[in-house]
Amino acid sequence: MSYRFFSMILALSLCGIAAAETNPPEVVAALGLARLHDAESSAKTAQLERARAKGLIAGKSWAPLLEPSPIDVSRYSIRFFLDFDREVVSGSVEIELTAVHSDLTTVEIDAWSGLRILGVTLLEDAAFAFDSPRDLDFSHENDTLSIQLPRTLAEDEGLRLLVTYGGRAGHRGDGINWDYHGNGQRVAWTMAEPFGARVWWPCNDRPDDKAVVNVTVTAPNTYTVASNGLVESTTDHGDGTATTSWASIYPVAPYLVVMNVADYVYSEETYVTSQGTTMPVALYAFPEVADQAEDDLAVTPQMIETMAELFGEYPFIEEKYGNCTANFGGGMEHQTLTTISAAAIGTDWMPWLNVHELGHQWWGDWVTCADWRELWLNEGFATLTEWLWAEHLGESTLQNYLADSDNIGLFLGPVYDNPVPFSGTVYDKGAWVLRMLRHRLGDEDFFEGVAAYRENHAGEAATSEDLKAAFEGVSGRNLDQFFDQWVYGKNRPRFRYSWEATEGPAIRVVFEQIQQNAELFEMPLDIRVTTASGTEDHQIELGALAEQTIEIPLNAPATGIELDPNHWSLFLSALSDQPDLDLGPGYPGPFDAGQSFPGSPASLTIPVTNVGGNSLEISEWGFAYGGSEFSITAPTQLPFSLAPGATVELEIEFKSGGLNTRSNWLWIRSNDPDNLGITYARVEGHGGIFPGDFLQAPSSVSFGNVPVKGLDEATAEFSNLGGAPVTLSATIQGDEFTLLSEVPPVLEPGTRQTFLIRFAPETVGNHQGSLIFETDSGTWPTVEITLRGTGISAPHLLVTPSSLALGLVDNDTKEALVRISNDGTEDLHLLEFVFEGPFERSEGSAGTIAVPADEYRDIAVVSTAGQTGAVQGTLRIRSDDPTLPWATIPLNAVWVDDAILAEDQLAIPATASTAGLGGSWWSSNLVLLNTGNEDAAADLAFSPAGPQTTSGIDRTVTIQARTQRTLSDVVADLGHEGAGGMAVTTSTPKII
Ligand SMILES: [Zn+2]
């Protein structure tokens, strides 16, 4: 995704308030980029907050290290009924999965705890393909839906499950955003990277488990539904609603699934492949920006064509590419349908945002980072796509773009597993790594390597090591050093060099690597030599050596040299007779000043050394974000000079006006030739209010009115305003309240921790509880926050069973009952019954049914199929339950010509072979149908000499009420041979 545009607006709007007037123009330009990085990380931090609160993120790394998934999902079919008035969805998701290992007894699906799960149905067990669907036991805690399987699955065995659920399905920007645009028109748009898919639909929410996805949405018929893949059907129901079905034939990672619903204006262009086939390029735009958006995005087919030439054909060529507007800053590369900022329409950034998100269709969507530590594989490639588009537009555009993308000092940490996941290091340095790889390998091997990487991981997930293997395979080179220094390592080399013209003619160049903040680098380097007769371009190999001398033969005597004239590499350099400013081993930072309190500033010393060979003139300095928190207290005079080898200690004072880590960019202008003479470094400090013990928390948190059996969430901030760390543990009192956040064992001085609390009233009336923290603070050993909320009266619908099996049916009068209970506190009104498939209510009449609190109504359902075989359908019940407008109940029945109820013992002869079984296996399906309303057991016994002579019981099979169990090759499965048959003894006479 990209927040570039959003951050530019932020930069422009805040620069005026901050230090724009005191910053030189070069710094103002860089500030745009620096703010970009900060805006990216803060915007993403908001998205990540939930994951952090849930303790998914531990230690330095922000991404949980994934264990291999025990399941592999191959298909999701998601159905939503949107209710914009109540801002809730009622939905279901069908999940087809296989077991990755043996002994799978429980399936764990990611499902946000705020979702209300109505039921889980086993639709099909692949080993018993003709079995009837049945309800499964499940629990739903800590964002995990644990489903108990009726049997243990072996490796590669598959299931089809249905989860019916409902709720707001949106939480802190993740999942569905129930939003407005224009003059108060509604829009529902989704966002899920990196951990938010589980917020709006139950799924195996990890980037390395992709599945084919169908999204079917029922919404007001004046709205357009946009999603992944292509529209399969649209049905207007004539009641103000319409249902749109989208289907994707390509597997999708859960975080790339999208559903955007609004009064979009649709327009379309066409992309034509080099083979002459066509693909729609779609645009779903808010009416207020539709004309401008159409103009801005008209270039998209040309961008696809350009990238297809470089990366191979657009990966989802059988479907579409599209953009769809929403109210957020930036773009999000949902598969085949990017969600794009409506505010970006009409700005200069639009083409770059457009091409970045398009690039993700290859890199991120078709080949996906295997876990979130590998995010640079998505974002580095997408940023490289911007550069390749700039290159397509012309060399000068590219060179400007590259210069903008390398503000020296701003790349912190490695690109792999960067602690600030959506930072400029991951995006821009990620792209630099790929550009340097291209330089290292040459265009042919680089783009062949890109093709191999794509081919090897088509429609799947990949790691940095996979990328390395693809390039090593194509080029025959060992890239360990390259990946160690640029992907897993930090920083960049600093060269001091000198040259002399020698006989030949030739040029002799002496390189020293003098960086104090990284190991020695090994890299190719372009050198442009000016000679008496023009210029000559050469490339040299620099080894991981502190000093080396390289001699290059020339056609004419050298008069000057230029390193890396086309910006292929990251490094710092100075001729040995030039000045060179170095900030020591701590560069590029962050340099940490420690903690400050009012009246007690913290300070920081950064050594400024002239590691060059000529006088360093320092003329100006400042802090890019302005403000008064950071100031330079010594030296006090500017300008000043530093002789070669001399060091001055730069004293920085930090006076914090608030809590938590504060940061800024120090800039120093000098006559160092690097980076337009400006050196940047990140400085940080930590705020505190009181030097000693001081804790602060709100005395109470109020939730307001929440319907009984509904839920709401609120936050409480706990601050350590003091100067010492405190240990922390928490307990919560009051059954209606739950603490969702993990409690850090220690709260660092001058920091603030946000705790997420849930209120879920079971009864009407005022509820009170407490969140109590125990600490080791002498002054505040106990901190108590009172929690208050009011449960308001509401109906609450339950369905039993959550899926209804009619069993064996031979006429359209045989009923089965589904019980609708109301365990709420108000009358529940069942307003509408909608059937899909060959089913109907036996009473048939429409009209509202009232279900008083603590009562139930049985709804009789019959099947109308007529033809023999298994039939499936759904019943949807609309009600005035405030948190679930529609309840979905799966239905099934098995139609037979003549239903014959069995006697209590049934013998099945071995009729597969007239010659008896002999040495061959008896092969047949044994179908057991339980037509009763209770579960039944069937004992299976082999009869070696025919039905009369029965051996002991071989197996007992439990058959759920009104379901069918089909056992294939049952005798073979039991390990018997020879002539005989099967005897079945049942616990009730209703098995046939
Ligand atoms: Zn991106």
Side-chain angles (χ1 to χ4, degrees):
M1 81 189 310
S2 175
Y3 282 96
R4 185 178 292 274
F5 169 73
F6 172 75
S7 52
M8 281 306 291
I9 289 196
L10 193 71
L12 294 174
S13 60
L14 291 186
C15 272
I17 311 164
E21 290 125 54
T22 58
N23 280 332
E26 300 91 331
V27 177
V28 173
L31 193 61
L33 192 75
R35 280 202 189 281
L36 179 163
H37 300 160
D38 284 359
E40 280 167 359
S41 59
S42 62
K44 284 314 295 185
T45 301
Q47 298 258 18
L48 287 170
E49 199 176 294
R50 183 177 156 278
R52 286 187 208 281
K54 292 296 293 172
L56 278 173
I57 291 164
K60 170 191 133 318
S61 180
W62 68 282
L65 192 58
L66 295 176
E67 295 290 327
S69 178
I71 58 168
D72 178 10
V73 179
S74 57
R75 173 183 292 274
Y76 297 102
S77 296
I78 314 167
R79 296 201 61 169
F80 287 115
F81 299 89
L82 298 195
D83 186 324
F84 277 93
D85 294 336
R86 286 184 252 187
E87 301 192 340
V88 290
V89 292
S90 318
S92 63
V93 55
E94 193 179 310
I95 305 172
E96 271 180 50
L97 61 89
T98 51
V100 172
H101 311 290
S102 298
D103 301 328
L104 188 72
T105 56
T106 305
V107 169
E108 294 199 335
I109 297 289
D110 297 304
W112 175 46
S113 295
L115 293 174
R116 179 171 156 191
I117 308 290
L118 267 191
V120 180
T121 304
L122 174 64
L123 291 180
E124 184 185 336
D125 177 340
F128 303 99
F130 301 103
D131 278 12
S132 303
R134 86 264 333 242
D135 284 5
L136 297 182
D137 290 336
F138 65 89
S139 65
H140 185 207
E141 279 179 311
N142 296 325
D143 288 357
T144 303
L145 178 62
S146 299
I147 302 166
Q148 299 305 316
L149 301 182
R151 71 183 184 94
T152 302
L153 289 197
E155 190 179 335
D156 291 335
E157 285 195 308
L159 291 178
R160 201 153 55 88
L161 301 172
L162 182 76
V163 181
T164 54
Y165 71 103
R168 186 177 169 84
H171 177 87
R172 302 185 149 214
D174 275 331
I176 301 176
N177 289 271
W178 300 93
D179 204 351
Y180 295 85
H181 74 91
N183 296 315
Q185 292 98 315
R186 297 310 311 258
V187 51
W189 56 276
T190 64
M191 188 62 65
E193 188 183 22
F195 303 119
R198 68 196 71 179
V199 173
W200 64 294
W201 56 289
C203 57
N204 195 27
D205 191 5
R206 43 190 293 157
D208 63 348
D209 189 8
K210 296 188 183 186
V212 171
V213 174
N214 295 57
V215 177
T216 299
V217 181
T218 302
N221 62 2
T222 51
Y223 292 172
T224 301
V225 176
S227 184
N228 311 90
L230 292 175
V231 174
E232 277 195 322
S233 65
T234 303
T235 309
D236 193 319
H237 302 295
D239 61 355
T241 67
T243 299
T244 310
S245 285
W246 285 86
S248 176
I249 56 171
Y250 301 100
V252 191
Y255 80 97
L256 294 171
V257 175
V258 64
M259 175 196 68
N260 291 351
V261 183
D263 56 344
Y264 287 119
V265 174
Y266 181 75
S267 59
E268 187 177 300
E269 299 198 59
T270 302
Y271 163 63
V272 185
T273 70
S274 57
Q275 308 298 311
T277 53
T278 61
M279 179 189 80
V281 179
L283 171 62
Y284 297 84
F286 292 150
E288 60 272 20
V289 295
D291 289 346
Q292 183 69 49
E294 218 176 306
D295 287 354
D296 283 3
L297 295 166
V299 67
T300 311
Q302 201 187 322
M303 286 175 170
I304 300 174
E305 186 184 328
T306 306
M307 294 314 144
E309 282 168 16
L310 294 165
F311 297 151
E313 191 51 86
Y314 176 75
F316 311 109
I317 193 69
E318 302 289 330
E319 297 182 342
K320 69 166 188 306
Y321 182 61
N323 276 285
C324 184
T325 60
N327 301 325
F328 87 115
M332 178 61 216
E333 65 273 16
H334 299 117
Q335 188 161 307
T336 73
L337 186 73
T338 287
T339 301
I340 205 149
S341 164
I345 307 291
T347 68
D348 294 347
W349 278 100
M350 196 59 211
W352 304 107
L353 184 58
N354 187 15
V355 81
H356 176 104
E357 305 305 335
L358 171 67
H360 272 308
Q361 299 298 315
W362 284 262
W363 317 117
D365 294 10
W366 186 238
V367 180
T368 306
C369 63
D371 74 50
W372 295 108
R373 294 162 198 248
E374 305 276 10
L375 182 67
W376 82 276
L377 294 173
N378 291 8
E379 298 302 347
F381 264 108
T383 305
L384 180 74
T385 308
E386 298 170 44
W387 297 2
L388 292 170
W389 179 247
E391 188 173 350
H392 171 80
L393 295 180
E395 186 60 25
S396 64
T397 311
L398 173 66
Q399 292 303 326
N400 286 336
Y401 218 84
L402 292 176
D404 277 355
S405 305
D406 178 23
N407 277 263
I408 289 162
L410 304 190
F411 294 149
L412 303 178
V415 297
Y416 171 80
D417 195 17
N418 192 281
V420 185
F422 290 84
S423 68
T425 308
V426 171
Y427 280 63
D428 287 325
K429 189 177 175 186
W432 273 108
V433 169
L434 295 168
R435 183 169 168 82
M436 289 189 282
L437 196 52
R438 181 179 170 188
H439 190 231
R440 155 65 75 196
L441 300 178
D443 274 13
E444 195 179 324
D445 277 0
F446 177 75
F447 285 106
E448 265 183 40
V450 166
Y453 173 61
R454 174 187 168 158
E455 186 71 27
N456 296 345
H457 307 285
E460 293 176 357
T463 63
S464 300
E465 290 300 306
D466 292 332
L467 184 75
K468 183 167 86 170
F471 284 111
E472 285 183 335
V474 163
S475 67
R477 285 172 183 263
N478 180 324
L479 294 172
D480 286 349
Q481 169 84 10
F482 181 92
F483 274 70
D484 285 348
Q485 68 193 23
W486 292 120
V487 175
Y488 304 112
K490 296 189 281 192
N491 305 327
R492 65 178 84 196
R494 179 186 289 275
F495 299 127
R496 177 162 56 203
Y497 68 105
S498 60
W499 65 274
E500 59 179 326
T502 54
E503 297 282 313
I507 186 170
R508 181 180 299 139
V509 193
V510 180
F511 281 92
E512 290 171 83
Q513 285 196 42
I514 57 169
Q515 63 272 11
Q516 301 181 52
N517 58 356
E519 302 292 306
L520 294 169
F521 283 71
E522 178 186 288
M523 60 195 277
L525 186 67
D526 290 351
I527 294 185
R528 179 165 293 166
V529 185
T530 312
T531 68
S533 54
T535 59
E536 289 183 29
D537 285 340
H538 295 272
Q539 190 177 97
I540 59 165
E541 283 293 328
L542 290 177
L545 299 166
E547 184 174 334
Q548 59 198 302
T549 301
I550 286 165
E551 195 150 306
I552 307 166
L554 299 172
N555 296 319
T559 57
I561 74 169
E562 184 187 358
L563 303 187
D564 195 30
N566 295 316
H567 294 95
W568 280 103
S569 302
L570 293 178
F571 63 91
L572 294 162
S573 68
L575 278 162
S576 56
D577 62 355
Q578 283 178 323
D580 192 6
L581 192 159
D582 184 76
L583 296 178
Y587 175 79
F591 292 95
D592 193 341
Q595 198 176 17
S596 90
F597 305 97
S600 158
S603 66
L604 166 67
T605 303
I606 302 176
V608 180
T609 303
N610 179 6
V611 294
N614 211 327
S615 175
L616 178 72
E617 311 289 332
I618 294 178
S619 54
E620 220 183 335
W621 53 36
F623 295 92
Y625 291 174
S628 57
E629 287 188 330
F630 292 92
S631 59
I632 295 166
T633 54
T636 53
Q637 293 294 313
L638 276 174
F640 65 88
S641 304
L642 275 184
T647 297
V648 66
E649 304 269 286
L650 190 61
E651 301 290 344
I652 294 174
E653 190 175 78
F654 168 63
K655 289 187 220 165
S656 168
L659 292 184
N660 296 328
T661 299
R662 330 285 286 184
S663 57
N664 211 320
W665 295 100
L666 165 70
W667 60 266
I668 304 170
R669 183 196 287 282
S670 72
N671 61 340
D672 180 326
D674 276 319
N675 200 37
L676 304 169
I678 311 256
T679 300
Y680 296 91
R682 180 94 166 178
V683 291
E684 289 184 353
H686 310 276
I689 308 297
F690 303 99
D693 229 8
F694 208 107
L695 301 180
Q696 190 182 65
S699 58
S700 66
V701 171
S702 288
F703 289 85
N705 295 334
V706 178
V708 284
K709 299 190 189 290
L711 62 85
D712 199 6
E713 291 170 358
T715 56
E717 288 194 331
F718 189 111
S719 304
N720 179 1
L721 306 180
V726 291
T727 62
L728 212 59
S729 65
T731 51
I732 199 156
Q733 292 179 352
D735 292 344
E736 325 274 341
F737 301 95
T738 313
L739 177 62
L740 297 176
S741 305
E742 294 219 337
V743 180
V746 174
L747 195 58
E748 295 298 332
T751 63
R752 177 179 279 150
Q753 183 80 23
T754 300
F755 292 97
L756 189 61
I757 305 153
R758 177 172 294 160
F759 172 52
E762 285 289 320
T763 56
V764 174
N766 293 328
H767 297 279
Q768 189 168 318
S770 305
L771 175 58
I772 300 161
F773 293 96
E774 306 283 342
T775 81
D776 66 348
S777 153
T779 322
W780 286 273
T782 303
V783 177
E784 183 168 345
I785 302 172
T786 303
L787 309 174
R788 290 195 185 90
T790 304
I792 56 169
S793 201
H796 191 257
L797 174 152
L798 293 176
V799 179
T800 322
S802 57
S803 67
L804 185 63
L806 276 74
L808 196 67
V809 173
D810 68 347
N811 64 65
D812 62 5
T813 61
K814 184 183 175 191
E815 294 179 348
L817 301 178
V818 60
R819 177 161 296 179
I820 308 300
S821 320
N822 176 10
D823 69 340
T825 50
E826 291 276 300
D827 285 2
L828 172 73
H829 298 92
L830 309 181
L831 305 171
E832 198 180 344
F833 297 84
V834 177
F835 285 93
E836 284 170 15
F839 298 91
E840 61 186 29
R841 274 181 69 200
S842 58
E843 294 100 287
S845 65
T848 298
I849 297 174
V851 187
D854 293 327
E855 293 193 15
Y856 63 83
R857 295 287 180 269
D858 286 335
I859 306 298
V861 175
V862 296
S863 176
T864 57
Q867 281 188 324
T868 58
V871 291
Q872 297 190 355
T874 56
L875 164 58
R876 287 188 296 114
I877 302 176
R878 187 163 70 87
S879 76
D880 61 353
D881 180 319
T883 59
L884 191 77
W886 289 95
T888 300
I889 301 150
L891 307 172
N892 66 81
V894 180
W895 275 75
V896 293
D897 290 334
D898 277 311
I900 305 163
L901 297 186
E903 301 302 323
D904 62 345
Q905 184 168 27
L906 178 69
I908 300 171
T911 55
S913 162
T914 51
L917 291 176
S920 65
W921 297 112
W922 182 71
S923 177
S924 177
N925 286 340
L926 174 60
V927 180
L928 300 167
L929 275 157
N930 177 3
T931 63
N933 287 321
E934 303 285 328
D935 291 357
D939 293 333
L940 307 181
F942 183 64
S943 304
Q948 297 76 19
T949 319
T950 303
S951 66
I953 296 168
D954 285 302
R955 179 175 297 171
T956 299
V957 178
T958 302
I959 307 130
Q960 229 177 16
R962 293 181 173 277
T963 67
Q964 166 189 302
R965 167 120 277 204
T966 305
L967 305 167
S968 57
D969 295 341
V970 61
V971 175
D973 188 45
L974 293 172
H976 294 304
E977 55 185 310
M982 203 76 217
V984 183
T985 310
T986 69
S987 61
T988 75
K990 297 219 174 148
I991 289 189
I992 58 174

